[in-house]
Amino acid sequence: MPVILKDGSVYEVSDGTTWIDVAAGLSRKLAKEALAARVDGNLKDLNLPARPQEKVEFLTFADQEGQAVYRHTSAHLLAQAVKRIFPGAKLAIGPAIADGFYYDFDVEHPFTTEDLALIEKEMNKIKKADFPIVRQELSHEEAIALFEEQSEPYKVELIRELPADSQVSIYKQGEFVDLCLGPHLPSTGKIGVFKLLSVAGAYWKGSEENKMLQRIYGTSFPKKKALDEYLEHLEEAKRRDHRKLGQELDLYGIAEEGPGFPFFYPKGMVVRTELEDFWRSEHRKGGYLEIKSPVVLSRDLWERSGHWDHYKENMYFLKIDEQDFAVKPMNCPGAMIYYKTRVHSYRELPLRIAELGLVHRHERSGVLHGLMRVRCFTQDDAHIFMLPEQITDEIIGVMEMIDHFYRTFGFSYRVELSTKPEKAMGSDEIWDMAISALKKALEMKDIPYRINEGDGAFYGPKIDFHLQDSLGRSWQCGTIQLDFVNPENFDLTYISDDGSKKRPVMIHRVVFGSIERFLGILTEHYGGAFPIWLAPVQVKVLTVASRHAEYAAEIAHLLEQEGIRVEVDDRNERVGYKIREGEVEKVPYLLVLGDQEVDSQMVSVRKRGTGDQGSLPLQKFVTQIKEEINQKS
């Protein structure tokens, strides 16, 4: 019986051979490492039988989808262990997630750290038992009856949401059974090592109207070394947490009186202002004009833009003079209002309009997270109004700007092209045209990209930029959205070369995404040790004794005159203590002043990360530091 391998070659097997048998026939190593099979493009369990002419590719832990199968099975291991220790626990859902898995439980007992250790111990017992993991398909009615008998109301609810004539798949391992699409590993013994990480609350189906469940997070790996490295990675991430560093470095915070509404302190405002100044400078070079639109605009505007129908649940509303208004969740309608303030000629296009606009979006309290998930933030928006024949050049121009920004901060990135979502405005023809234009620009720049089906904006497809930080984490920040729909909705026109009115095309784009979130990402990326051009304090002057205070003040004044941000520490403390404090504050340069420095009119320089640099004349130090600031190094 022929099956077709990934490379297109034909491999003959006997009738009744399973996919794990095929893997074993190809290589003992492959049989050991294979986690699932991709058969004719669909993921399948390894213990399913092969069929003639099917094309197979075996997935291992090196594949992202292989990791998902591995960790989904780990979630079932967790659920089985919890049911053994807490038989009254009700099962909700337990998917694989990036770098791990979780399972949600409805149980009266609040899970503790001690419980996690007990659950891990039970998971190890289940692993050692090496239960076969068996898929079974039931009718809709049979599945409901099974989970009603097992008193699993959440599973019953999920099944009832399926069509009545659908087949329902379940997976069994030992005494445990779960509703699941699969696929899974062949047996529980295939899981290597795992660690339960934390417990959190989670609403059923993510809705605050539903019951709060308990969610246990965990991770798993084939080898202990990989797990240990990941746990160390988590510890490093905790040390770099922007919420922790934001407080320690006195940059920003969230007050109880404003959940989700960040406060920026003086030092945080320095970093923020430097980011905004850099943004403005680069946009001026790129031919952008800056505007500022109102935070509150009428309901009529949001209905016209489509936000009222597609985004209403995330908006804040108010009444003014008995009329409905909304706090803006996006800046784009303001840019279109500006465009309509006068008649435009084709000669003016492309017209590039930029705005650092404050927007507000309603986020559930459970998902708020420092600066990363907030209820108000400043989008570094720009909207480009252009002729159809200018689309490709403008998209390329934006891509080049985004590349320049990210490389300035030391980020690498990957690109995704997101296509038409289920709920979208505009015809298929318009969407196809817009998607083709984005593809053309990406291919002209020879940028590799992945297709993200159905994740476009409701008014157009988009290119998303996922940057990678120093810990290897991915963050979606920049985006380029191509829009043929809103120029129609807002009746935007230009006078063409033949004197007729025609519709422009729009690009919506951001580089940072939001100033707040990008600042949080930067804080963690640098571990709070901002490059000198962003550092809130660039130089700290430290005195050895009180008699050196006058020279310290003189040095600080000269540095301030050169535009360098400086602080003086002339407290009556040991200089070693002051140096350690300056290092904890992550100041790029410390200047230590004692008798020798006063007598020679020099400065003793300590550089962050490298230590003592010896003594320099002040002017030479100023020249060096200004060059470093200008290079944004």
Side-chain angles (χ1 to χ4, degrees):
M1 183 178 74
V3 295
I4 304 167
L5 303 181
K6 182 182 178 182
D7 62 3
S9 62
V10 175
Y11 185 70
E12 295 286 344
V13 299
S14 59
D15 190 26
T17 301
T18 64
W19 290 119
I20 192 63
D21 295 331
V22 175
L26 294 170
S27 156
R28 182 182 297 178
K29 181 182 178 184
L30 181 61
K32 184 178 179 181
E33 294 182 355
L35 304 174
R38 193 200 313 278
V39 181
D40 290 342
N42 299 311
L43 296 186
K44 299 288 185 181
D45 297 301
L46 290 172
N47 53 19
L48 290 178
R51 301 185 187 280
Q53 300 299 325
E54 288 183 324
K55 186 173 183 180
V56 64
E57 174 189 352
F58 292 101
L59 302 178
T60 70
F61 200 79
D63 303 297
Q64 191 171 359
E65 288 172 302
Q67 292 179 20
V69 172
Y70 191 92
R71 287 167 171 153
H72 193 180
T73 302
S74 304
H76 279 219
L77 200 71
L78 163 61
Q80 185 175 6
V82 168
K83 289 290 284 186
R84 283 185 173 187
I85 299 171
F86 304 97
K90 307 301 180 188
L91 302 175
I93 59 171
I97 55 175
D99 298 326
F101 58 89
Y102 70 78
Y103 213 110
D104 290 345
F105 302 95
D106 184 356
V107 57
E108 291 184 9
H109 173 81
F111 290 131
T112 65
T113 303
E114 291 75 18
D115 291 329
L116 295 189
L118 287 174
I119 295 166
E120 271 187 23
K121 188 175 179 181
E122 194 63 37
M123 289 171 71
N124 272 304
K125 290 180 183 177
I126 298 166
K127 170 193 162 182
K128 289 176 182 175
D130 198 18
F131 294 119
I133 301 176
V134 181
R135 179 187 176 92
Q136 184 179 343
E137 292 195 349
L138 307 176
S139 69
H140 194 263
E141 294 80 5
E142 288 172 333
I144 290 174
L146 172 66
F147 286 102
E148 281 182 339
E149 182 184 348
Q150 295 194 351
S151 300
E152 295 290 359
Y154 298 100
K155 302 297 181 183
V156 172
E157 182 178 336
L158 292 173
I159 298 167
R160 290 191 187 281
E161 292 172 354
L162 300 173
D165 59 351
S166 60
Q167 286 288 108
V168 178
S169 58
I170 61 171
Y171 279 81
K172 293 183 176 181
Q173 55 195 56
E175 81 287 355
F176 179 75
V177 60
D178 203 353
L179 174 72
C180 192
L181 288 172
H184 282 284
L185 304 184
S187 69
T188 59
K190 286 277 281 185
I191 298 173
V193 292
F194 42 80
K195 179 69 178 175
L196 300 183
L197 302 171
S198 61
V199 180
Y203 291 108
W204 170 235
K205 295 183 177 178
S207 172
E208 294 179 6
E209 296 178 1
N210 293 331
K211 187 170 184 179
M212 175 72 78
L213 308 178
Q214 292 188 75
R215 175 172 295 175
I216 297 179
Y217 285 98
T219 191
S220 55
F221 291 87
K223 302 289 184 183
K224 185 176 185 301
K225 181 182 177 184
L227 175 62
D228 290 342
E229 288 174 352
Y230 177 73
L231 295 177
E232 175 54 35
H233 178 86
L234 288 183
E235 288 303 311
E236 179 62 23
K238 288 179 184 176
R239 288 190 284 271
R240 290 171 177 254
D241 190 316
H242 74 282
R243 296 167 297 179
K244 173 176 173 287
L245 289 172
Q247 293 295 317
E248 290 176 355
L249 302 178
D250 202 28
L251 301 174
Y252 39 70
I254 307 289
E256 290 182 8
E257 294 82 356
F261 300 96
F263 277 74
F264 282 86
Y265 309 150
K267 288 182 178 178
M269 280 302 298
V270 170
V271 185
R272 181 186 179 116
T273 301
E274 287 293 334
L275 286 177
E276 292 178 350
D277 288 349
F278 174 58
W279 183 90
R280 285 192 167 97
S281 172
E282 294 303 312
H283 281 72
R284 280 194 295 269
K285 294 175 190 175
Y288 287 80
L289 304 173
E290 187 176 358
I291 66 168
K292 177 67 74 176
S293 64
V295 172
V296 175
L297 293 164
S298 71
R299 170 176 175 167
D300 172 68
L301 175 76
W302 302 109
E303 288 177 334
R304 212 180 330 154
S305 70
H307 289 91
W308 193 270
D309 292 331
H310 293 83
Y311 211 74
K312 185 164 49 178
E313 67 277 5
N314 295 102
M315 295 172 66
Y316 295 113
F317 305 99
L318 67 158
K319 280 190 178 290
I320 302 175
D321 296 334
E322 304 305 315
Q323 299 295 315
D324 290 327
F325 284 76
V327 181
K328 68 176 179 181
M330 296 177 185
N331 296 309
C332 30
M336 287 181 276
I337 288 175
Y338 168 74
Y339 183 89
K340 286 176 68 74
T341 56
R342 61 186 178 83
V343 176
H344 298 276
S345 163
Y346 72 96
R347 292 189 181 89
E348 297 175 62
L349 305 184
L351 181 61
R352 305 183 187 108
I353 304 301
E355 178 177 11
L356 288 170
L358 179 64
V359 299
H360 290 71
R361 298 180 185 178
H362 177 62
E363 298 282 3
R364 297 190 305 274
S365 58
V367 301
L368 297 175
H369 181 79
L371 298 182
M372 306 300 196
R373 199 73 178 263
V374 292
R375 287 172 169 154
C376 73
F377 53 92
T378 303
Q379 279 191 312
D380 64 312
D381 257 325
H383 297 88
I384 302 173
F385 303 90
M386 62 204 163
L387 309 175
E389 58 266 31
Q390 295 170 333
I391 290 173
T392 302
D393 287 344
E394 288 304 305
I395 293 170
I396 288 173
V398 176
M399 289 193 295
E400 289 174 345
M401 174 178 277
I402 290 174
D403 179 78
H404 169 61
F405 268 72
Y406 290 176
R407 293 192 187 283
T408 297
F409 297 102
F411 290 121
S412 59
Y413 59 88
R414 61 179 173 83
V415 173
E416 287 186 355
L417 173 60
S418 298
T419 59
K420 186 177 182 180
E422 187 177 336
K423 293 182 179 179
M425 299 170 69
S427 67
D428 288 341
E429 180 183 2
I430 286 174
W431 275 83
D432 290 342
M433 190 188 315
I435 291 168
S436 295
L438 293 180
K439 285 182 177 178
K440 180 180 177 182
L442 287 166
E443 287 159 9
M444 286 181 68
K445 288 294 291 180
D446 197 26
I447 296 176
Y449 64 93
R450 294 192 314 200
I451 298 290
N452 188 4
E453 294 287 355
D455 200 41
F458 63 81
Y459 45 75
K462 60 179 180 169
I463 298 171
D464 286 331
F465 294 79
H466 297 258
L467 57 82
Q468 188 175 64
D469 69 11
S470 58
L471 292 179
R473 298 171 301 184
S474 180
W475 305 92
Q476 193 275 306
C477 291
T479 189
I480 305 171
Q481 303 170 353
L482 188 55
D483 184 359
F484 287 82
V485 172
N486 273 304
E488 186 74 30
N489 292 346
F490 281 80
D491 191 26
L492 305 185
T493 60
Y494 64 90
I495 306 301
S496 69
D497 56 357
D498 63 7
S500 63
K501 285 187 176 182
K502 292 186 177 178
R503 296 265 182 246
V505 183
M506 277 184 72
I507 287 175
H508 309 244
R509 45 111 295 190
V510 293
V511 180
F512 292 142
S514 86
I515 297 293
E516 290 76 5
R517 184 167 175 268
F518 196 79
L519 215 166
I521 293 169
L522 281 184
T523 303
E524 298 190 359
H525 177 59
Y526 295 127
F530 294 103
I532 191 164
W533 71 281
L534 284 176
V537 178
Q538 294 167 324
V539 177
K540 196 164 189 179
V541 182
L542 313 178
T543 56
V544 174
S546 58
R547 62 182 175 275
H548 309 125
E550 184 177 344
Y551 184 50
E554 182 184 328
I555 294 292
H557 177 71
L558 290 170
L559 290 173
E560 286 171 347
Q561 294 295 104
E562 294 288 346
I564 296 166
R565 297 188 288 273
V566 59
E567 282 185 356
V568 175
D569 186 350
D570 57 4
R571 294 174 299 164
N572 187 24
E573 296 280 0
R574 289 179 294 108
V575 72
Y577 175 82
K578 295 179 183 180
I579 289 171
R580 284 193 298 276
E581 195 172 72
E583 290 171 346
V584 168
E585 293 171 355
K586 305 184 189 298
V587 179
Y589 284 98
L590 304 176
L591 302 185
V592 182
L593 307 182
D595 290 339
Q596 185 176 338
E597 286 73 28
V598 172
D599 293 341
S600 63
Q601 292 293 286
M602 305 271 275
V603 291
S604 179
V605 182
R606 295 184 65 85
K607 185 174 183 179
R608 183 180 61 200
T610 56
D612 187 9
Q613 303 293 292
S615 294
L616 288 175
L618 179 62
Q619 196 53 51
K620 185 173 181 180
F621 171 72
V622 168
T623 301
Q624 289 180 0
I625 193 174
K626 288 180 76 172
E627 183 178 350
E628 192 178 339
I629 292 168
N630 291 335
Q631 290 177 348
K632 293 184 166 49
S633 56

